[in-house]
Amino acid sequence: MRKQFGVAVIPAPALPAVDVQQLGFRFGQQRSAATYIGRMLEALRAREIACGRAGSLAGEQPVTHVDRLFRFQVEVRSVCGTCGQRCVRFEADWCWRVVVDDTAAVDVTVGELFLRSCAVEARGEVCRSEICAGALQEHRVQRQMVSPPNVMLLHVDRGVGAEGNMLSL
């Protein structure tokens, strides 16, 4: 007979199941897999918080097991093309999105797609400077991951090719 060393394993109660219809999906509708996974992770996170399985510091957002596995922080830097105002903000996300265009569809690696997604891009954003006064202006924007997740979810957006078909990799 083996002697136990005083370690008791107490199973935690299981989290209740997540209803697919609560995620906003109905049968017979086609949706993005990235949207489904994002909503599923949000639902699981909410369940963990509701069941008291989240830790937090005073006044901070609760941190769950889902956050520890999948969530990451992104630094977004932007410069207004009109007034030159610079802005830095931080966003939390579950899934990093990369885009495959027509020219890159044949010989491209995931690493190259990731680096392209971190490059400076031009897009319209609201500028809150005194000069632009909240108007939509052209900005140069760059995204950078500042805290990588333990499990990286990557959404490869294949877009639509010249013939109207999804690009194949």
Side-chain angles (χ1 to χ4, degrees), residues 1-6:
M1 184 168 154
R2 295 177 104 182
K3 190 172 186 182
Q4 296 293 327
F5 292 101

Side-chain angles (χ1 to χ4, degrees), residues 112-139:
E112 290 169 342
L113 290 174
F114 179 79
L115 291 175
R116 286 183 195 171
S117 69
C118 296
V120 176
E121 64 181 356
R123 74 169 108 148
E125 288 192 357
V126 174
C127 184
R128 302 206 187 312
S129 70
E130 292 178 2
I131 297 169
C132 295
L136 185 65
Q137 301 291 349
E138 180 89 4
H139 280 70

Side-chain angles (χ1 to χ4, degrees), residues 2-3 40-41 44 59 64 81 83 91 117 130 142-143:
R2 295 177 104 182
K3 190 172 186 182
M40 179 64 80
L41 292 175
L44 289 171
T64 66
C83 68
E91 302 171 349
S117 69
E130 292 178 2
Q142 183 175 20
R143 295 171 48 92

Side-chain angles (χ1 to χ4, degrees), residues 30-119:
Q30 186 174 359
R31 300 279 192 214
S32 163
T35 303
Y36 179 80
I37 289 174
R39 289 183 184 175
M40 179 64 80
L41 292 175
E42 285 291 343
L44 289 171
R45 182 179 189 278
R47 292 288 171 104
E48 278 194 284
I49 293 169
C51 291
R53 292 188 173 183
S56 66
L57 298 173
E60 295 290 323
Q61 286 282 339
V63 177
T64 66
H65 293 91
V66 176
D67 292 327
R68 290 184 187 111
L69 284 174
F70 299 104
R71 191 160 282 213
F72 56 88
Q73 294 293 319
V74 179
E75 177 186 48
V76 182
R77 294 177 177 262
S78 65
V79 179
C80 179
T82 304
C83 68
Q85 179 176 347
R86 298 173 185 272
C87 177
V88 177
R89 66 181 182 275
F90 293 90
E91 302 171 349
D93 209 343
W94 301 107
C95 186
W96 189 270
R97 181 175 175 262
V98 296
V99 179
V100 177
D101 56 8
D102 280 331
T103 60
V106 178
D107 296 324
V108 67
T109 65
V110 173
E112 290 169 342
L113 290 174
F114 179 79
L115 291 175
R116 286 183 195 171
S117 69
C118 296

